Amino acid sequence: MFTGWMIDRLGVRRSMVVGVTAWSLAAAVHGWAMTGWQVVAARVGLGATEAVQTPLTIKTVATLFGPKLRSLAIGAGTLIGAAGTITLPFFIPVLAAAWGWRGALIFAGAGGFAVLALWWIAARGVVFDDRAEDPELDYADGAAPYGPILLERRTWAIVVAKALSDATWWLLNFWLPDFYRRELGLSTEQLGLPLAIAFLGSGLGALLAGWVSGRLMARGWPAARVRAAVMLVSALVVAPVPVILRIDSYWAVTLMMGVVLAGHQGFSLSIFGTITDVVPRAKVGRVTAFGAFCGNLGGVAIVWVTGAVLSAGGGYTPLFVFAGASYLLGFAWLRVMMPRVLPSPRGSGHAKA
């Protein structure tokens, strides 16, 4: 919650420096932890500082891109993140073998500083327009005033949909290895390929959803209609996830799980795109952070519920039924709660009051 406020106050460039520096230090500190409580403190520090990533990404997209390119920019970033998720588990053991696990963790922190230096070079000459941003300008592309965040109907339309969809994302992220062990009998050594395929699917799904969104807007579709269409298709892609429980084929289950995660990313991308469309740029960081916070609460809840259901012998059936319905519920909630706001004739930037 604090990071969203910080980003809106400091702007993109300064928030990038503060955020990456803080989480890189928090990552490196793990390498010097000597006791269990020191490890816990390092984990808490990393969680608190890395929280800047999502609102800062969406703030950057809202600042630099017009509506037609925002989804593609978010999708490309998601694909790059997925590539890191897939490749680093194979790369880190090499570092640990060479320099020990402490050295690998310190290297991870140092890597953050290296990336920050590369970003600073790439950002030379880029105008983020942070100082020109008026926090009192309460209009976005939708040309409708945006009230206090917690009292604004559009905020709750976004964050509840985010909580419902993120619950399924957390379910699959945390419990997918256990699911593969239970349902397919895979050993720990055999989990690498199916997990890599799943996260590759999520990245490709984000990129495809972003590209489709941009193409539809280029053809003259209003942003609100594009977001709704991509969100509905993504929800329908995830809906058959309970069918996976009836499939015995290793490859069929693996590929279908990749498609399901692709559907999640298309849905999530549309939510973030909606934020950039309807929230004033001066408030994008806070609304995105609040959405991420609510999504994390949904994730914490489903992780706890999943453990309880599996311990009671309920299996994955009720959990996957919820997963299949959660996106359609989120889509319906967003459609009902989101006011019908017409896009600004200018198509990007702030609308005039």
Side-chain angles (χ1 to χ4, degrees), residues 19-47:
V20 178
T21 298
W23 88 51
S24 298
L25 288 173
V29 164
H30 285 69
W32 286 286
M34 302 299 294
T35 68
W37 283 112
Q38 289 175 354
V39 173
V40 171
R43 300 302 295 164
V44 171
L46 182 59

Side-chain angles (χ1 to χ4, degrees), residues 172-262:
L172 297 178
N173 267 268
F174 278 84
W175 291 96
L176 195 55
D178 178 77
F179 169 76
Y180 281 143
R181 291 190 185 99
R182 289 173 183 254
E183 301 298 324
L184 298 179
L186 300 184
S187 65
T188 301
E189 293 76 13
Q190 295 171 319
L191 288 174
L193 180 60
L195 291 177
I197 291 174
F199 288 109
L200 177 62
S202 73
L204 292 176
L207 186 65
L208 177 61
W211 179 80
V212 169
S213 298
R215 293 292 297 171
L216 292 176
M217 289 187 196
R219 292 183 179 184
W221 282 41
R225 184 190 301 175
V226 172
R227 307 297 184 209
V230 173
M231 199 175 295
L232 177 59
V233 171
S234 299
L236 293 174
V237 167
V238 180
V241 66
V243 176
I244 294 178
L245 296 169
R246 304 296 180 184
I247 300 175
D248 295 326
S249 169
Y250 166 88
W251 283 109
V253 171
T254 299
L255 293 175
M256 190 169 178
M257 193 61 73
V259 172
V260 167
L261 291 185

Side-chain angles (χ1 to χ4, degrees), residues 3 7 18-24 26-27 42-57 292 296:
T3 59
I7 292 165
V18 172
V20 178
T21 298
W23 88 51
S24 298
R43 300 302 295 164
V44 171
L46 182 59
T49 53
E50 196 185 21
V52 74
Q53 187 268 335
T54 296
L56 182 54
T57 297
N296 287 350

Side-chain angles (χ1 to χ4, degrees), residues 84-111:
T85 301
I86 294 168
T87 57
L88 282 180
F90 298 96
F91 181 61
I92 294 299
V94 176
L95 296 177
W99 296 315
W101 67 266
R102 294 183 182 275
L105 290 166
I106 294 172
F107 177 88

